Amino acid sequence: MSKEPGDRLRELRIKKGYATASDAARAYGWNENTYKSHENGERGIKLPVARKYATAFGSSAAYILVGDGNG
């Protein structure tokens, strides 16, 4: 089964130690509903946003968006 961007985003968040999407969003000052919809796959993730998440979670935008590289 192929992982989607939201799945990779969720994995990175958990690796960083945030139990919930809300915890991570609050910690970084992100809109909770938007972040949750990115994790749930309800909303696509654009490159600038993927870069923001990647910086916070110690990964790369390429990994979040297409699974390229290490998470």
Side-chain angles (χ1 to χ4, degrees), residues 21-60:
S22 292
D23 290 341
R26 282 193 295 266
Y28 292 103
W30 302 330
N31 181 288
E32 286 184 52
N33 291 327
T34 300
Y35 180 77
K36 286 178 187 180
S37 67
H38 286 154
E39 262 200 26
N40 293 332
E42 296 170 356
R43 188 173 184 175
I45 304 171
K46 297 193 184 237
L47 182 58
V49 177
R51 285 183 178 140
K52 173 178 72 171
Y53 293 153
T55 298
F57 294 149
S59 187
S60 70

PDB file of all heavy atoms in Angstrom, residues 21-60:
ATOM      1  N   ALA A  21      -2.472  15.876  16.172  1.00  0.00           N
ATOM      2  CA  ALA A  21      -2.305  16.938  15.181  1.00  0.00           C
ATOM      3  C   ALA A  21      -2.512  18.301  15.842  1.00  0.00           C
ATOM      4  O   ALA A  21      -1.799  19.259  15.543  1.00  0.00           O
ATOM      5  CB  ALA A  21      -3.276  16.740  14.028  1.00  0.00           C
ATOM      6  N   SER A  22      -3.455  18.382  16.752  1.00  0.00           N
ATOM      7  CA  SER A  22      -3.715  19.638  17.458  1.00  0.00           C
ATOM      8  C   SER A  22      -2.505  20.073  18.270  1.00  0.00           C
ATOM      9  O   SER A  22      -2.168  21.263  18.306  1.00  0.00           O
ATOM     10  CB  SER A  22      -4.933  19.497  18.375  1.00  0.00           C
ATOM     11  OG  SER A  22      -6.106  19.341  17.617  1.00  0.00           O
ATOM     12  N   ASP A  23      -1.846  19.120  18.927  1.00  0.00           N
ATOM     13  CA  ASP A  23      -0.647  19.442  19.708  1.00  0.00           C
ATOM     14  C   ASP A  23       0.417  20.086  18.826  1.00  0.00           C
ATOM     15  O   ASP A  23       1.017  21.100  19.191  1.00  0.00           O
ATOM     16  CB  ASP A  23      -0.054  18.186  20.357  1.00  0.00           C
ATOM     17  CG  ASP A  23      -0.912  17.620  21.472  1.00  0.00           C
ATOM     18  OD1 ASP A  23      -1.779  18.350  22.006  1.00  0.00           O
ATOM     19  OD2 ASP A  23      -0.706  16.435  21.810  1.00  0.00           O
ATOM     20  N   ALA A  24       0.661  19.483  17.676  1.00  0.00           N
ATOM     21  CA  ALA A  24       1.683  20.008  16.762  1.00  0.00           C
ATOM     22  C   ALA A  24       1.277  21.377  16.230  1.00  0.00           C
ATOM     23  O   ALA A  24       2.090  22.305  16.207  1.00  0.00           O
ATOM     24  CB  ALA A  24       1.914  19.035  15.606  1.00  0.00           C
ATOM     25  N   ALA A  25       0.033  21.507  15.811  1.00  0.00           N
ATOM     26  CA  ALA A  25      -0.430  22.783  15.261  1.00  0.00           C
ATOM     27  C   ALA A  25      -0.302  23.900  16.284  1.00  0.00           C
ATOM     28  O   ALA A  25       0.182  24.999  15.958  1.00  0.00           O
ATOM     29  CB  ALA A  25      -1.874  22.652  14.779  1.00  0.00           C
ATOM     30  N   ARG A  26      -0.693  23.629  17.510  1.00  0.00           N
ATOM     31  CA  ARG A  26      -0.587  24.653  18.554  1.00  0.00           C
ATOM     32  C   ARG A  26       0.873  24.998  18.842  1.00  0.00           C
ATOM     33  O   ARG A  26       1.211  26.162  19.029  1.00  0.00           O
ATOM     34  CB  ARG A  26      -1.297  24.183  19.823  1.00  0.00           C
ATOM     35  CG  ARG A  26      -2.808  24.320  19.747  1.00  0.00           C
ATOM     36  CD  ARG A  26      -3.458  24.143  21.115  1.00  0.00           C
ATOM     37  NE  ARG A  26      -3.281  22.805  21.649  1.00  0.00           N
ATOM     38  CZ  ARG A  26      -4.146  21.808  21.508  1.00  0.00           C
ATOM     39  NH1 ARG A  26      -5.276  22.003  20.864  1.00  0.00           N
ATOM     40  NH2 ARG A  26      -3.904  20.627  22.024  1.00  0.00           N
ATOM     41  N   ALA A  27       1.734  23.989  18.866  1.00  0.00           N
ATOM     42  CA  ALA A  27       3.154  24.222  19.165  1.00  0.00           C
ATOM     43  C   ALA A  27       3.813  25.133  18.133  1.00  0.00           C
ATOM     44  O   ALA A  27       4.683  25.932  18.475  1.00  0.00           O
ATOM     45  CB  ALA A  27       3.894  22.891  19.247  1.00  0.00           C
ATOM     46  N   TYR A  28       3.392  25.013  16.877  1.00  0.00           N
ATOM     47  CA  TYR A  28       4.011  25.793  15.807  1.00  0.00           C
ATOM     48  C   TYR A  28       3.183  26.993  15.362  1.00  0.00           C
ATOM     49  O   TYR A  28       3.591  27.728  14.464  1.00  0.00           O
ATOM     50  CB  TYR A  28       4.307  24.888  14.604  1.00  0.00           C
ATOM     51  CG  TYR A  28       5.395  23.892  14.904  1.00  0.00           C
ATOM     52  CD1 TYR A  28       5.090  22.568  15.175  1.00  0.00           C
ATOM     53  CD2 TYR A  28       6.736  24.271  14.937  1.00  0.00           C
ATOM     54  CE1 TYR A  28       6.091  21.641  15.463  1.00  0.00           C
ATOM     55  CE2 TYR A  28       7.733  23.366  15.232  1.00  0.00           C
ATOM     56  CZ  TYR A  28       7.405  22.053  15.493  1.00  0.00           C
ATOM     57  OH  TYR A  28       8.408  21.158  15.781  1.00  0.00           O
ATOM     58  N   GLY A  29       2.019  27.181  15.970  1.00  0.00           N
ATOM     59  CA  GLY A  29       1.182  28.324  15.613  1.00  0.00           C
ATOM     60  C   GLY A  29       0.455  28.170  14.287  1.00  0.00           C
ATOM     61  O   GLY A  29       0.100  29.160  13.647  1.00  0.00           O
ATOM     62  N   TRP A  30       0.242  26.903  13.879  1.00  0.00           N
ATOM     63  CA  TRP A  30      -0.471  26.643  12.629  1.00  0.00           C
ATOM     64  C   TRP A  30      -1.967  26.575  12.904  1.00  0.00           C
ATOM     65  O   TRP A  30      -2.402  26.219  13.997  1.00  0.00           O
ATOM     66  CB  TRP A  30      -0.029  25.309  12.022  1.00  0.00           C
ATOM     67  CG  TRP A  30       1.427  25.202  11.734  1.00  0.00           C
ATOM     68  CD1 TRP A  30       2.294  26.193  11.411  1.00  0.00           C
ATOM     69  CD2 TRP A  30       2.211  23.996  11.763  1.00  0.00           C
ATOM     70  NE1 TRP A  30       3.558  25.695  11.220  1.00  0.00           N
ATOM     71  CE2 TRP A  30       3.538  24.349  11.432  1.00  0.00           C
ATOM     72  CE3 TRP A  30       1.925  22.662  12.029  1.00  0.00           C
ATOM     73  CZ2 TRP A  30       4.561  23.416  11.361  1.00  0.00           C
ATOM     74  CZ3 TRP A  30       2.940  21.733  11.955  1.00  0.00           C
ATOM     75  CH2 TRP A  30       4.252  22.109  11.624  1.00  0.00           C
ATOM     76  N   ASN A  31      -2.762  26.850  11.883  1.00  0.00           N
ATOM     77  CA  ASN A  31      -4.205  26.679  11.985  1.00  0.00           C
ATOM     78  C   ASN A  31      -4.501  25.195  12.184  1.00  0.00           C
ATOM     79  O   ASN A  31      -4.103  24.363  11.360  1.00  0.00           O
ATOM     80  CB  ASN A  31      -4.878  27.208  10.719  1.00  0.00           C
ATOM     81  CG  ASN A  31      -6.369  27.069  10.782  1.00  0.00           C
ATOM     82  OD1 ASN A  31      -6.903  25.972  10.695  1.00  0.00           O
ATOM     83  ND2 ASN A  31      -7.041  28.190  10.944  1.00  0.00           N
ATOM     84  N   GLU A  32      -5.164  24.859  13.291  1.00  0.00           N
ATOM     85  CA  GLU A  32      -5.417  23.447  13.614  1.00  0.00           C
ATOM     86  C   GLU A  32      -6.242  22.735  12.548  1.00  0.00           C
ATOM     87  O   GLU A  32      -5.923  21.607  12.165  1.00  0.00           O
ATOM     88  CB  GLU A  32      -6.115  23.319  14.967  1.00  0.00           C
ATOM     89  CG  GLU A  32      -5.203  23.564  16.134  1.00  0.00           C
ATOM     90  CD  GLU A  32      -5.898  23.343  17.465  1.00  0.00           C
ATOM     91  OE1 GLU A  32      -6.504  22.266  17.650  1.00  0.00           O
ATOM     92  OE2 GLU A  32      -5.833  24.253  18.310  1.00  0.00           O
ATOM     93  N   ASN A  33      -7.312  23.379  12.102  1.00  0.00           N
ATOM     94  CA  ASN A  33      -8.181  22.730  11.115  1.00  0.00           C
ATOM     95  C   ASN A  33      -7.453  22.473   9.805  1.00  0.00           C
ATOM     96  O   ASN A  33      -7.626  21.415   9.192  1.00  0.00           O
ATOM     97  CB  ASN A  33      -9.450  23.555  10.877  1.00  0.00           C
ATOM     98  CG  ASN A  33     -10.359  23.547  12.077  1.00  0.00           C
ATOM     99  OD1 ASN A  33     -10.436  22.560  12.806  1.00  0.00           O
ATOM    100  ND2 ASN A  33     -11.047  24.649  12.307  1.00  0.00           N
ATOM    101  N   THR A  34      -6.647  23.420   9.384  1.00  0.00           N
ATOM    102  CA  THR A  34      -5.890  23.253   8.142  1.00  0.00           C
ATOM    103  C   THR A  34      -4.884  22.116   8.291  1.00  0.00           C
ATOM    104  O   THR A  34      -4.788  21.237   7.422  1.00  0.00           O
ATOM    105  CB  THR A  34      -5.163  24.559   7.764  1.00  0.00           C
ATOM    106  OG1 THR A  34      -6.130  25.585   7.594  1.00  0.00           O
ATOM    107  CG2 THR A  34      -4.362  24.383   6.484  1.00  0.00           C
ATOM    108  N   TYR A  35      -4.135  22.115   9.396  1.00  0.00           N
ATOM    109  CA  TYR A  35      -3.137  21.063   9.598  1.00  0.00           C
ATOM    110  C   TYR A  35      -3.811  19.690   9.651  1.00  0.00           C
ATOM    111  O   TYR A  35      -3.354  18.736   9.015  1.00  0.00           O
ATOM    112  CB  TYR A  35      -2.297  21.307  10.861  1.00  0.00           C
ATOM    113  CG  TYR A  35      -1.296  20.206  11.037  1.00  0.00           C
ATOM    114  CD1 TYR A  35      -0.141  20.175  10.257  1.00  0.00           C
ATOM    115  CD2 TYR A  35      -1.523  19.160  11.912  1.00  0.00           C
ATOM    116  CE1 TYR A  35       0.756  19.131  10.356  1.00  0.00           C
ATOM    117  CE2 TYR A  35      -0.624  18.119  12.029  1.00  0.00           C
ATOM    118  CZ  TYR A  35       0.508  18.102  11.246  1.00  0.00           C
ATOM    119  OH  TYR A  35       1.381  17.056  11.329  1.00  0.00           O
ATOM    120  N   LYS A  36      -4.901  19.593  10.394  1.00  0.00           N
ATOM    121  CA  LYS A  36      -5.613  18.311  10.486  1.00  0.00           C
ATOM    122  C   LYS A  36      -6.087  17.855   9.107  1.00  0.00           C
ATOM    123  O   LYS A  36      -6.010  16.665   8.778  1.00  0.00           O
ATOM    124  CB  LYS A  36      -6.825  18.434  11.418  1.00  0.00           C
ATOM    125  CG  LYS A  36      -6.466  18.499  12.876  1.00  0.00           C
ATOM    126  CD  LYS A  36      -7.750  18.662  13.691  1.00  0.00           C
ATOM    127  CE  LYS A  36      -7.481  18.904  15.138  1.00  0.00           C
ATOM    128  NZ  LYS A  36      -8.739  19.067  15.901  1.00  0.00           N
ATOM    129  N   SER A  37      -6.585  18.769   8.302  1.00  0.00           N
ATOM    130  CA  SER A  37      -7.070  18.384   6.966  1.00  0.00           C
ATOM    131  C   SER A  37      -5.922  17.956   6.068  1.00  0.00           C
ATOM    132  O   SER A  37      -6.100  17.119   5.187  1.00  0.00           O
ATOM    133  CB  SER A  37      -7.893  19.505   6.328  1.00  0.00           C
ATOM    134  OG  SER A  37      -7.100  20.623   6.036  1.00  0.00           O
ATOM    135  N   HIS A  38      -4.723  18.483   6.290  1.00  0.00           N
ATOM    136  CA  HIS A  38      -3.553  18.013   5.539  1.00  0.00           C
ATOM    137  C   HIS A  38      -3.196  16.594   5.966  1.00  0.00           C
ATOM    138  O   HIS A  38      -2.950  15.735   5.127  1.00  0.00           O
ATOM    139  CB  HIS A  38      -2.358  18.952   5.762  1.00  0.00           C
ATOM    140  CG  HIS A  38      -2.479  20.241   5.038  1.00  0.00           C
ATOM    141  ND1 HIS A  38      -1.856  21.388   5.465  1.00  0.00           N
ATOM    142  CD2 HIS A  38      -3.147  20.579   3.909  1.00  0.00           C
ATOM    143  CE1 HIS A  38      -2.134  22.376   4.627  1.00  0.00           C
ATOM    144  NE2 HIS A  38      -2.929  21.904   3.677  1.00  0.00           N
ATOM    145  N   GLU A  39      -3.183  16.347   7.268  1.00  0.00           N
ATOM    146  CA  GLU A  39      -2.874  15.001   7.754  1.00  0.00           C
ATOM    147  C   GLU A  39      -3.920  13.984   7.313  1.00  0.00           C
ATOM    148  O   GLU A  39      -3.583  12.844   7.003  1.00  0.00           O
ATOM    149  CB  GLU A  39      -2.795  14.988   9.292  1.00  0.00           C
ATOM    150  CG  GLU A  39      -1.419  15.075   9.810  1.00  0.00           C
ATOM    151  CD  GLU A  39      -1.284  14.590  11.247  1.00  0.00           C
ATOM    152  OE1 GLU A  39      -2.089  13.760  11.724  1.00  0.00           O
ATOM    153  OE2 GLU A  39      -0.331  15.049  11.892  1.00  0.00           O
ATOM    154  N   ASN A  40      -5.168  14.378   7.320  1.00  0.00           N
ATOM    155  CA  ASN A  40      -6.254  13.456   6.960  1.00  0.00           C
ATOM    156  C   ASN A  40      -6.411  13.255   5.467  1.00  0.00           C
ATOM    157  O   ASN A  40      -7.222  12.434   5.040  1.00  0.00           O
ATOM    158  CB  ASN A  40      -7.586  13.954   7.542  1.00  0.00           C
ATOM    159  CG  ASN A  40      -7.606  13.900   9.039  1.00  0.00           C
ATOM    160  OD1 ASN A  40      -6.932  13.072   9.651  1.00  0.00           O
ATOM    161  ND2 ASN A  40      -8.359  14.785   9.662  1.00  0.00           N
ATOM    162  N   GLY A  41      -5.676  14.020   4.676  1.00  0.00           N
ATOM    163  CA  GLY A  41      -5.775  13.898   3.235  1.00  0.00           C
ATOM    164  C   GLY A  41      -6.999  14.564   2.651  1.00  0.00           C
ATOM    165  O   GLY A  41      -7.323  14.363   1.484  1.00  0.00           O
ATOM    166  N   GLU A  42      -7.681  15.365   3.452  1.00  0.00           N
ATOM    167  CA  GLU A  42      -8.870  16.069   2.969  1.00  0.00           C
ATOM    168  C   GLU A  42      -8.502  17.277   2.132  1.00  0.00           C
ATOM    169  O   GLU A  42      -9.325  17.809   1.405  1.00  0.00           O
ATOM    170  CB  GLU A  42      -9.729  16.521   4.158  1.00  0.00           C
ATOM    171  CG  GLU A  42     -10.277  15.371   4.965  1.00  0.00           C
ATOM    172  CD  GLU A  42     -10.912  15.828   6.261  1.00  0.00           C
ATOM    173  OE1 GLU A  42     -10.869  17.036   6.594  1.00  0.00           O
ATOM    174  OE2 GLU A  42     -11.437  14.956   6.971  1.00  0.00           O
ATOM    175  N   ARG A  43      -7.255  17.715   2.281  1.00  0.00           N
ATOM    176  CA  ARG A  43      -6.798  18.917   1.588  1.00  0.00           C
ATOM    177  C   ARG A  43      -5.374  18.665   1.105  1.00  0.00           C
ATOM    178  O   ARG A  43      -4.553  18.116   1.842  1.00  0.00           O
ATOM    179  CB  ARG A  43      -6.821  20.063   2.594  1.00  0.00           C
ATOM    180  CG  ARG A  43      -6.572  21.402   2.055  1.00  0.00           C
ATOM    181  CD  ARG A  43      -6.808  22.413   3.160  1.00  0.00           C
ATOM    182  NE  ARG A  43      -6.651  23.748   2.634  1.00  0.00           N
ATOM    183  CZ  ARG A  43      -6.882  24.832   3.316  1.00  0.00           C
ATOM    184  NH1 ARG A  43      -7.284  24.742   4.564  1.00  0.00           N
ATOM    185  NH2 ARG A  43      -6.720  26.002   2.774  1.00  0.00           N
ATOM    186  N   GLY A  44      -5.095  19.039  -0.117  1.00  0.00           N
ATOM    187  CA  GLY A  44      -3.754  18.863  -0.661  1.00  0.00           C
ATOM    188  C   GLY A  44      -2.747  19.766   0.035  1.00  0.00           C
ATOM    189  O   GLY A  44      -3.113  20.784   0.618  1.00  0.00           O
ATOM    190  N   ILE A  45      -1.487  19.377  -0.044  1.00  0.00           N
ATOM    191  CA  ILE A  45      -0.415  20.156   0.576  1.00  0.00           C
ATOM    192  C   ILE A  45       0.411  20.782  -0.540  1.00  0.00           C
ATOM    193  O   ILE A  45       0.993  20.077  -1.359  1.00  0.00           O
ATOM    194  CB  ILE A  45       0.479  19.261   1.455  1.00  0.00           C
ATOM    195  CG1 ILE A  45      -0.351  18.524   2.504  1.00  0.00           C
ATOM    196  CG2 ILE A  45       1.574  20.097   2.116  1.00  0.00           C
ATOM    197  CD1 ILE A  45       0.420  17.464   3.266  1.00  0.00           C
ATOM    198  N   LYS A  46       0.471  22.096  -0.565  1.00  0.00           N
ATOM    199  CA  LYS A  46       1.270  22.797  -1.575  1.00  0.00           C
ATOM    200  C   LYS A  46       2.722  22.883  -1.107  1.00  0.00           C
ATOM    201  O   LYS A  46       3.012  22.808   0.085  1.00  0.00           O
ATOM    202  CB  LYS A  46       0.689  24.178  -1.830  1.00  0.00           C
ATOM    203  CG  LYS A  46      -0.713  24.083  -2.405  1.00  0.00           C
ATOM    204  CD  LYS A  46      -1.179  25.398  -2.940  1.00  0.00           C
ATOM    205  CE  LYS A  46      -2.611  25.225  -3.401  1.00  0.00           C
ATOM    206  NZ  LYS A  46      -2.828  25.544  -4.752  1.00  0.00           N
ATOM    207  N   LEU A  47       3.623  23.072  -2.065  1.00  0.00           N
ATOM    208  CA  LEU A  47       5.052  23.068  -1.784  1.00  0.00           C
ATOM    209  C   LEU A  47       5.479  24.016  -0.662  1.00  0.00           C
ATOM    210  O   LEU A  47       6.211  23.598   0.240  1.00  0.00           O
ATOM    211  CB  LEU A  47       5.846  23.332  -3.063  1.00  0.00           C
ATOM    212  CG  LEU A  47       7.368  23.311  -2.927  1.00  0.00           C
ATOM    213  CD1 LEU A  47       7.861  21.982  -2.379  1.00  0.00           C
ATOM    214  CD2 LEU A  47       8.008  23.608  -4.271  1.00  0.00           C
ATOM    215  N   PRO A  48       5.044  25.285  -0.653  1.00  0.00           N
ATOM    216  CA  PRO A  48       5.486  26.164   0.439  1.00  0.00           C
ATOM    217  C   PRO A  48       5.070  25.656   1.828  1.00  0.00           C
ATOM    218  O   PRO A  48       5.810  25.784   2.793  1.00  0.00           O
ATOM    219  CB  PRO A  48       4.823  27.508   0.131  1.00  0.00           C
ATOM    220  CG  PRO A  48       4.514  27.453  -1.327  1.00  0.00           C
ATOM    221  CD  PRO A  48       4.237  26.013  -1.647  1.00  0.00           C
ATOM    222  N   VAL A  49       3.899  25.067   1.904  1.00  0.00           N
ATOM    223  CA  VAL A  49       3.413  24.535   3.175  1.00  0.00           C
ATOM    224  C   VAL A  49       4.191  23.274   3.544  1.00  0.00           C
ATOM    225  O   VAL A  49       4.559  23.072   4.707  1.00  0.00           O
ATOM    226  CB  VAL A  49       1.895  24.263   3.114  1.00  0.00           C
ATOM    227  CG1 VAL A  49       1.394  23.632   4.402  1.00  0.00           C
ATOM    228  CG2 VAL A  49       1.146  25.557   2.814  1.00  0.00           C
ATOM    229  N   ALA A  50       4.463  22.426   2.558  1.00  0.00           N
ATOM    230  CA  ALA A  50       5.262  21.223   2.811  1.00  0.00           C
ATOM    231  C   ALA A  50       6.643  21.609   3.331  1.00  0.00           C
ATOM    232  O   ALA A  50       7.183  20.950   4.223  1.00  0.00           O
ATOM    233  CB  ALA A  50       5.377  20.386   1.542  1.00  0.00           C
ATOM    234  N   ARG A  51       7.206  22.681   2.796  1.00  0.00           N
ATOM    235  CA  ARG A  51       8.515  23.154   3.275  1.00  0.00           C
ATOM    236  C   ARG A  51       8.429  23.583   4.739  1.00  0.00           C
ATOM    237  O   ARG A  51       9.334  23.314   5.532  1.00  0.00           O
ATOM    238  CB  ARG A  51       9.007  24.313   2.416  1.00  0.00           C
ATOM    239  CG  ARG A  51       9.500  23.885   1.067  1.00  0.00           C
ATOM    240  CD  ARG A  51      10.034  25.073   0.284  1.00  0.00           C
ATOM    241  NE  ARG A  51      10.555  24.641  -1.001  1.00  0.00           N
ATOM    242  CZ  ARG A  51      10.397  25.309  -2.126  1.00  0.00           C
ATOM    243  NH1 ARG A  51       9.743  26.450  -2.135  1.00  0.00           N
ATOM    244  NH2 ARG A  51      10.902  24.846  -3.248  1.00  0.00           N
ATOM    245  N   LYS A  52       7.351  24.276   5.092  1.00  0.00           N
ATOM    246  CA  LYS A  52       7.150  24.730   6.472  1.00  0.00           C
ATOM    247  C   LYS A  52       7.064  23.533   7.415  1.00  0.00           C
ATOM    248  O   LYS A  52       7.726  23.502   8.461  1.00  0.00           O
ATOM    249  CB  LYS A  52       5.868  25.572   6.542  1.00  0.00           C
ATOM    250  CG  LYS A  52       5.436  25.965   7.930  1.00  0.00           C
ATOM    251  CD  LYS A  52       4.193  26.830   7.915  1.00  0.00           C
ATOM    252  CE  LYS A  52       2.958  26.027   7.540  1.00  0.00           C
ATOM    253  NZ  LYS A  52       1.707  26.793   7.725  1.00  0.00           N
ATOM    254  N   TYR A  53       6.282  22.525   7.031  1.00  0.00           N
ATOM    255  CA  TYR A  53       6.149  21.332   7.863  1.00  0.00           C
ATOM    256  C   TYR A  53       7.475  20.574   7.941  1.00  0.00           C
ATOM    257  O   TYR A  53       7.861  20.089   9.000  1.00  0.00           O
ATOM    258  CB  TYR A  53       5.074  20.400   7.303  1.00  0.00           C
ATOM    259  CG  TYR A  53       3.661  20.929   7.363  1.00  0.00           C
ATOM    260  CD1 TYR A  53       2.706  20.502   6.444  1.00  0.00           C
ATOM    261  CD2 TYR A  53       3.246  21.850   8.324  1.00  0.00           C
ATOM    262  CE1 TYR A  53       1.398  20.961   6.484  1.00  0.00           C
ATOM    263  CE2 TYR A  53       1.941  22.319   8.369  1.00  0.00           C
ATOM    264  CZ  TYR A  53       1.026  21.865   7.450  1.00  0.00           C
ATOM    265  OH  TYR A  53      -0.270  22.323   7.498  1.00  0.00           O
ATOM    266  N   ALA A  54       8.166  20.490   6.827  1.00  0.00           N
ATOM    267  CA  ALA A  54       9.441  19.770   6.784  1.00  0.00           C
ATOM    268  C   ALA A  54      10.461  20.414   7.710  1.00  0.00           C
ATOM    269  O   ALA A  54      11.187  19.716   8.431  1.00  0.00           O
ATOM    270  CB  ALA A  54       9.969  19.717   5.355  1.00  0.00           C
ATOM    271  N   THR A  55      10.529  21.724   7.696  1.00  0.00           N
ATOM    272  CA  THR A  55      11.458  22.431   8.576  1.00  0.00           C
ATOM    273  C   THR A  55      11.129  22.134  10.035  1.00  0.00           C
ATOM    274  O   THR A  55      12.024  21.840  10.836  1.00  0.00           O
ATOM    275  CB  THR A  55      11.397  23.946   8.308  1.00  0.00           C
ATOM    276  OG1 THR A  55      11.802  24.184   6.957  1.00  0.00           O
ATOM    277  CG2 THR A  55      12.293  24.714   9.258  1.00  0.00           C
ATOM    278  N   ALA A  56       9.868  22.179  10.377  1.00  0.00           N
ATOM    279  CA  ALA A  56       9.447  21.934  11.764  1.00  0.00           C
ATOM    280  C   ALA A  56       9.739  20.505  12.199  1.00  0.00           C
ATOM    281  O   ALA A  56      10.149  20.267  13.335  1.00  0.00           O
ATOM    282  CB  ALA A  56       7.958  22.231  11.906  1.00  0.00           C
ATOM    283  N   PHE A  57       9.552  19.554  11.293  1.00  0.00           N
ATOM    284  CA  PHE A  57       9.663  18.145  11.662  1.00  0.00           C
ATOM    285  C   PHE A  57      11.007  17.518  11.291  1.00  0.00           C
ATOM    286  O   PHE A  57      11.204  16.323  11.455  1.00  0.00           O
ATOM    287  CB  PHE A  57       8.521  17.348  11.028  1.00  0.00           C
ATOM    288  CG  PHE A  57       7.147  17.700  11.555  1.00  0.00           C
ATOM    289  CD1 PHE A  57       6.035  17.596  10.740  1.00  0.00           C
ATOM    290  CD2 PHE A  57       6.961  18.126  12.855  1.00  0.00           C
ATOM    291  CE1 PHE A  57       4.766  17.895  11.214  1.00  0.00           C
ATOM    292  CE2 PHE A  57       5.704  18.446  13.348  1.00  0.00           C
ATOM    293  CZ  PHE A  57       4.604  18.327  12.524  1.00  0.00           C
ATOM    294  N   GLY A  58      11.932  18.318  10.779  1.00  0.00           N
ATOM    295  CA  GLY A  58      13.262  17.807  10.470  1.00  0.00           C
ATOM    296  C   GLY A  58      13.296  16.861   9.290  1.00  0.00           C
ATOM    297  O   GLY A  58      14.012  15.857   9.304  1.00  0.00           O
ATOM    298  N   SER A  59      12.549  17.191   8.263  1.00  0.00           N
ATOM    299  CA  SER A  59      12.473  16.343   7.078  1.00  0.00           C
ATOM    300  C   SER A  59      12.635  17.220   5.834  1.00  0.00           C
ATOM    301  O   SER A  59      13.243  18.286   5.905  1.00  0.00           O
ATOM    302  CB  SER A  59      11.137  15.602   7.058  1.00  0.00           C
ATOM    303  OG  SER A  59      11.092  14.664   6.011  1.00  0.00           O
ATOM    304  N   SER A  60      12.093  16.748   4.716  1.00  0.00           N
ATOM    305  CA  SER A  60      12.133  17.539   3.486  1.00  0.00           C
ATOM    306  C   SER A  60      10.742  17.601   2.871  1.00  0.00           C
ATOM    307  O   SER A  60       9.922  16.697   3.073  1.00  0.00           O
ATOM    308  CB  SER A  60      13.109  16.920   2.478  1.00  0.00           C
ATOM    309  OG  SER A  60      12.594  15.702   1.986  1.00  0.00           O
TER     310      SER A  60
END
